[in-house]
Amino acid sequence: MAISANGRVLASAQSGRVPLIRVWDPATAHTVAHLHAHDRDVSVVALSSDGSVLCGFGKDSRCRDSLVLWDVQNALLGAGAQVLVSKCSAYPVTVLKFVPGQHTELISAGPQSIRYWRVKDGKIRSRTVSLQHKNLPAIPTFNAICFSFTGTVALNQHDDPRVYLASGEGLIVELCHTTKSLLRIIQAHSGPVLSLDWCSSFFVSGGADRVLRMWTADLSQPCLEAEHSGSVGAVAISPDKSEVAVGTLTNAVGLVKMISHSYTSIMRGHSGLIRAFAMHPSRNEFATGAEDGTVRVWDLDVMLQVYEFHVPAPHVAISLAFHPREEVLACGLTDGSVRIFDLPSASQIEELKQGRGSIGSVLYSLTGACLFAGGSDGRIVTYDCAHCYVPLQTIAAANGPLALALSADGKWVAAAGLGSSSVVLYNANSLQLTRCLECVSARQLSFTVDGALLCLNMDGSLLAFTPDAAVYDCLPTDETSGHKDVAVFTTSANCRYLVTSCETLMKVHAFPPVPGSSQTFVGHVGGAVHMAFSPQSDQLVTVGSDAAIFVWTFHGDRSVDLHTLVDHHIHEHSKALLKAEERQLSPVSVPPPFSANNSSTIAGRQFPFPGFEDDDDDDILAAAHQDPLLAKSLRSARYMAQRLAALATPPRN
């Protein structure tokens, strides 16, 4: 990627076969031109200071290194771009820059090579800089270039213009721009120098040794250094020379203020594959866990990281869940433990050792009274959140790793394991098996608001199981063409939209599915691995296999049909009452194994059974003694009233 000095033009390039170079207008964030002149592997692009000429370096159809220049000065006006000149090169290039104030002169550097290029009379010619120096390695490599002048006027007034190159051997190479000759070698870092920048007051360099070092303008001596969390891959001095922007290879960006020597974090990100993701059920926050050993919480309103937790190496967080009522985050690890983090204090409050298998799924009950954790050993454990996360019950569910999902009304827990041909529904209060649904080795489960269970199978098919035992394919035949093998999916809060990802494409479908009612978008380069709607469904967050996090603005219908939800609730309970009358039996769910006073005895101690702490009203208690079905209906009616009130609440500003 490259941007012109005046900030008016941005260029980006693809790697791989048949790569495209895109020219962008930063003011509108729109592509204004698509350029194609290389057959593969565009490794470097550069823009002249005024943004009128673009240079790209890659390989042609015969796998030769090729340098191509385009005239892009009219691209912003919609006139496209045209090739000025192209030339094959016998010298590999790793870094390339236009000379400030020039659009016909460039300097490139690569292994054992520094060359000047000049366009004249429709041809491009080059000149090699001699690298004979006793302190320079036999085969030096170069990573960055900067100049001690900023434009033509400055160059004419500068008696001795210099060019600086960052070496992979920890050196800074200084050239005389006028004579195109090597002047001196400076040992700058203990590892490769990755970035450079210069201003009239000072010089700054960053290296793989994680050190940002500031020098006097003539590089005679260092005057300040600061160690960072990762290799310093990019530096830039502000126009007023008061700040230095620093970017590290651990995906962090910050500002160093020159007067106070203070550091301000601007942006942070994961440096490893993101393995876990969770959206908060009510706040505009989401959490991610990655192979870099960190768990991070992000705020969608300000688009910044707000909390960060560290997991002891070599273990990784692979499942996350927010507590629905408290500022608490549960984290399942590969070592078989569950860690509970308190967000306001940014501290760990509990560590639960469940077993030897990794914890592939964690989720809180609807009220937050208990936590469900599913391990790769096929066990599901329920923890009492109100009493220091004491384990309440353990069952052997399926072959792990387990995928868990909680129904919208909080009654059912669905579980599936790799190698298992069925999805099992459990009573959320008793963990008693209720129903088995045949599938093809499910890897992701999700309940809709109306009670349907969506099941993504290992073969990429997406099935929906309705409460009345009907099964249908969520992707019609004409929809799956060109979009097979769904990798991940999510639904909007009102259940009117289904979003799926396959390879680099993302599709938004009407739900329930209607043929021809989808829209396709280009998503992550390596495909999305996690996705979820924000609580108000106005944003969609997707996580890619490259550790990139995208936040999409969603313009679909976010309204909720309250009449449909009420009708569905009444219909379901009417069917349950009818079946109970016909069979003269209790409801399908078996009463959980707890005493009449609604408590569970564990190791001689009694705790309120999770999920029933709100059912202490006189009417429900009286009904529970006379008719369990009536008590269940009253509890469900209370939940629906609370749910409808929450859905009817307008979104916060």
Side-chain angles (χ1 to χ4, degrees):
M1 188 174 68
I3 189 168
S4 61
N6 58 13
R8 296 184 56 196
V9 183
L10 176 71
S12 62
Q14 293 177 315
S15 59
R17 293 187 61 85
V18 196
L20 276 179
I21 297 177
R22 298 175 183 263
V23 182
W24 304 78
D25 181 358
T28 61
H30 289 162
T31 304
V32 295
H34 295 83
L35 312 179
H36 174 65
H38 300 89
D39 187 67
R40 65 183 68 189
D41 299 335
V42 175
S43 57
V44 186
V45 289
L47 280 163
S48 60
S49 300
D50 59 359
S52 62
V53 180
L54 169 66
C55 180
F57 187 88
K59 294 185 180 295
D60 62 11
S61 58
R62 298 172 62 180
C63 210
R64 299 176 300 182
D65 291 326
S66 175
L67 191 75
V68 183
L69 275 77
W70 289 270
D71 182 359
V72 295
Q73 60 181 342
N74 295 321
L76 296 180
L77 303 177
Q82 60 181 357
V83 175
L84 293 175
V85 64
S86 63
K87 182 179 179 63
C88 291
S89 172
Y91 302 92
V93 172
T94 57
V95 59
L96 175 72
K97 274 196 173 184
F98 279 87
V99 174
Q102 301 287 331
H103 59 267
T104 59
E105 187 176 7
L106 306 95
I107 181 172
S108 68
Q112 204 177 4
S113 170
I114 300 176
R115 302 183 68 83
Y116 276 87
W117 304 80
R118 187 176 184 85
V119 179
K120 187 176 182 180
D121 301 329
K123 295 182 180 181
I124 185 168
R125 297 175 175 85
S126 63
R127 175 179 174 179
T128 301
V129 177
S130 175
L131 297 179
Q132 298 298 322
H133 195 283
K134 63 179 182 179
N135 293 330
L136 197 63
I139 305 178
T141 58
F142 300 98
N143 303 313
I145 300 174
C146 75
F147 302 88
S148 67
F149 51 94
T150 57
T152 305
V153 175
L155 177 60
N156 294 335
Q157 295 177 350
H158 205 293
D159 296 332
D160 194 10
R162 306 293 177 90
V163 180
Y164 301 98
L165 296 97
S167 165
E169 293 72 29
L171 308 174
I172 296 178
V173 177
E174 184 178 4
L175 306 180
C176 176
H177 178 68
T178 305
T179 61
K180 311 294 192 289
S181 60
L182 191 152
L183 293 179
R184 61 173 171 160
I185 306 293
I186 303 163
Q187 183 66 50
H189 292 263
S190 59
V193 183
L194 304 177
S195 52
L196 301 172
D197 202 8
W198 175 95
C199 70
S200 59
S201 301
F202 58 93
F203 186 96
V204 62
S205 63
D209 56 1
R210 305 189 303 172
V211 173
L212 172 73
R213 186 162 283 133
M214 298 179 186
W215 310 71
T216 55
D218 59 357
L219 268 79
S220 59
Q221 61 181 2
C223 53
L224 178 67
E225 66 178 40
E227 185 173 358
H228 289 69
S229 60
S231 301
V232 181
V235 294
I237 302 172
S238 63
D240 61 1
K241 309 172 189 177
S242 64
E243 296 176 325
V244 175
V246 184
T248 69
L249 299 189
T250 54
N251 295 334
V253 177
L255 287 177
V256 178
K257 296 187 180 296
M258 297 305 299
I259 297 177
S260 62
H261 295 172
S262 61
Y263 180 85
T264 303
S265 180
I266 301 299
M267 184 182 70
R268 299 177 65 87
H270 289 289
S271 58
L273 176 66
I274 297 177
R275 299 282 301 277
F277 172 80
M279 180 67 69
H280 197 285
S282 59
R283 296 200 300 266
N284 278 350
E285 294 179 352
F286 66 93
T288 54
E291 292 182 350
D292 59 6
T294 63
V295 174
R296 303 169 190 253
V297 179
W298 311 80
D299 191 323
L300 279 172
D301 294 330
V302 296
M303 298 293 181
L304 291 175
Q305 174 188 314
V306 290
Y307 300 107
E308 179 176 334
F309 304 93
H310 291 270
V311 175
H315 309 300
V316 177
I318 57 174
S319 57
L320 296 167
F322 282 98
H323 194 286
R325 296 181 178 178
E326 301 174 2
E327 294 188 72
V328 170
L329 178 69
C331 173
L333 305 182
T334 53
D335 65 347
S337 67
V338 179
R339 293 173 182 256
I340 311 299
F341 298 108
D342 179 68
L343 299 183
S345 64
S347 62
Q348 177 181 309
I349 56 177
E350 296 289 347
E351 181 177 1
L352 316 171
K353 187 62 178 178
Q354 179 165 315
R356 296 181 179 180
S358 58
I359 308 301
S361 184
V362 290
L363 54 89
Y364 280 96
S365 63
L366 202 63
T367 60
C370 61
L371 172 71
F372 303 95
S376 61
D377 55 2
R379 295 191 302 166
I380 300 177
V381 180
T382 307
Y383 298 94
D384 186 355
C385 302
H387 298 87
C388 301
Y389 288 82
V390 173
L392 294 174
Q393 191 173 2
T394 300
I395 62 170
N399 297 326
L402 281 175
L404 300 180
L406 182 70
S407 62
D409 57 6
K411 297 178 183 178
W412 316 109
V413 173
L418 294 180
S420 175
S421 60
S422 63
V423 176
V424 183
L425 292 183
Y426 297 94
N427 183 290
N429 292 319
S430 64
L431 283 187
Q432 182 163 351
L433 191 150
T434 302
R435 185 178 175 188
C436 290
L437 307 173
E438 295 299 322
C439 65
V440 184
S441 190
R443 61 181 177 183
Q444 183 184 354
L445 302 173
S446 177
F447 280 96
T448 62
V449 178
D450 57 3
L453 174 63
L454 304 185
C455 174
L456 176 62
N457 297 320
M458 293 300 295
D459 61 359
S461 61
L462 184 58
L463 302 179
F465 298 89
T466 63
D468 55 1
V471 183
Y472 63 89
D473 193 341
C474 291
L475 300 178
T477 303
D478 62 334
E479 294 282 358
T480 57
S481 58
H483 195 70
K484 299 177 181 179
D485 298 332
V486 174
V488 65
F489 74 92
T490 189
T491 57
S492 59
N494 60 7
C495 227
R496 294 187 178 182
Y497 301 96
L498 169 70
V499 182
T500 60
S501 173
C502 176
E503 296 180 348
T504 61
L505 298 179
M506 291 179 54
K507 276 197 173 184
V508 180
H509 312 261
F511 191 79
V514 178
S517 63
S518 65
Q519 288 182 307
T520 303
F521 302 88
V522 178
H524 297 266
V525 174
V529 293
H530 305 283
M531 62 171 59
F533 278 95
S534 63
Q536 301 298 335
S537 292
D538 56 342
Q539 293 174 310
L540 174 69
V541 180
T542 60
V543 177
S545 59
D546 55 354
I549 301 174
F550 290 176
V551 179
W552 307 70
T553 301
F554 188 70
H555 299 285
D557 183 8
R558 295 185 284 119
S559 61
V560 179
D561 189 349
L562 301 181
H563 296 289
T564 301
L565 293 178
V566 173
D567 291 343
H568 171 76
H569 178 70
I570 295 174
H571 175 67
E572 289 300 316
H573 281 273
S574 298
K575 288 197 304 180
L577 288 170
L578 182 60
K579 288 182 180 180
E581 291 176 358
E582 290 177 352
R583 300 177 183 178
Q584 295 182 353
L585 296 174
S586 297
V588 177
S589 60
V590 178
F594 59 94
S595 59
N597 61 356
N598 194 30
S599 64
S600 178
T601 303
I602 299 176
R605 298 174 60 190
Q606 288 192 341
F607 305 105
F609 193 86
F612 286 80
E613 69 280 4
D614 294 331
D615 293 351
D616 54 356
D617 289 351
D618 294 339
D619 54 349
I620 295 180
L621 289 175
H625 289 290
Q626 299 178 5
D627 188 349
L629 178 60
L630 177 59
K632 178 181 177 182
S633 299
L634 289 173
R635 287 195 296 268
S636 300
R638 166 178 290 182
Y639 161 75
M640 284 303 299
Q642 295 173 347
R643 181 68 176 169
L644 294 177
L647 292 173
T649 302
R652 66 179 184 180
N653 294 329

